[in-house]
Amino acid sequence: MRRMDVRRRVTEARVARLATADESGEPHLIPIVFALDGDAIHTCVDDKPKTTRRLRRLTDIAANPRVSVLVDHYSDDWSQLWWIRVDGFATVHAADTDAGVTGLDALARKYPQYQSKRPPGPVITIAGLRWRAWSA
């Protein structure tokens, strides 16, 4: 896959999976909404219902900031399959900080749900991106 095609596919994707690991290496994988903004990926803890506000992704990032984001496409026509993995280092920011506002602005440009209401939770910014991609 060409570099521009990879960035376009990630930019257009509506959902991805965020992989984190705790200090012992125990993996954790969750679906996320996200925005690619320059050389960073932003996601946030929004106010969709959750079983707890002590989220594993946040404690994992505090212990081990190395994360992966996976964007993929499945089709029963296997000639259309592709995936893109972006590895990087995550930081967590309060929504009212400069870094938090930057991330929320990027998310609001992509998702109308964030235009009228700002999420109360923290923003996760992933930088130092390393790209891997595969397509059939």
Side-chain angles (χ1 to χ4, degrees):
M1 234 182 294
R2 294 186 335 257
R3 179 160 171 76
M4 290 305 290
D5 193 40
V6 168
R7 288 186 68 87
R8 179 187 56 78
R9 287 181 182 196
V10 169
T11 299
E12 292 174 355
R14 303 301 290 169
V15 67
R17 282 92 183 140
L18 173 66
T20 61
D22 64 16
E23 66 279 348
S24 70
E26 176 84 19
H28 181 64
L29 184 68
I30 58 164
I32 59 168
V33 296
F34 70 98
L36 175 63
D37 184 35
D39 291 326
I41 293 174
H42 304 282
T43 187
C44 70
V45 177
D46 55 35
D47 57 357
K48 290 189 300 291
K50 295 170 181 43
T51 56
T52 180
R53 293 311 270 180
R54 287 195 58 217
L55 299 176
R56 167 89 186 265
R57 70 191 98 157
L58 300 176
T59 57
D60 283 357
I61 290 168
N64 178 3
R66 295 177 66 179
V67 301
S68 289
V69 174
L70 178 70
V71 177
D72 65 326
H73 173 74
Y74 177 81
S75 171
D76 285 335
D77 174 358
W78 285 7
S79 70
Q80 301 300 308
L81 301 177
W82 59 265
W83 60 260
I84 301 163
R85 190 183 82 220
V86 186
D87 301 325
F89 296 89
T91 53
V92 178
H93 309 278
D96 60 354
T97 63
D98 288 345
V101 169
T102 296
L104 291 173
D105 286 347
L107 288 161
R109 287 190 298 273
K110 185 171 181 181
Y111 301 98
Q113 298 90 327
Y114 293 129
Q115 292 173 4
S116 60
K117 183 177 179 187
R118 292 298 176 136
V123 175
I124 299 168
T125 299
I126 304 164
L129 305 181
R130 293 178 321 278
W131 299 75
R132 310 278 189 286
W134 174 87
S135 63

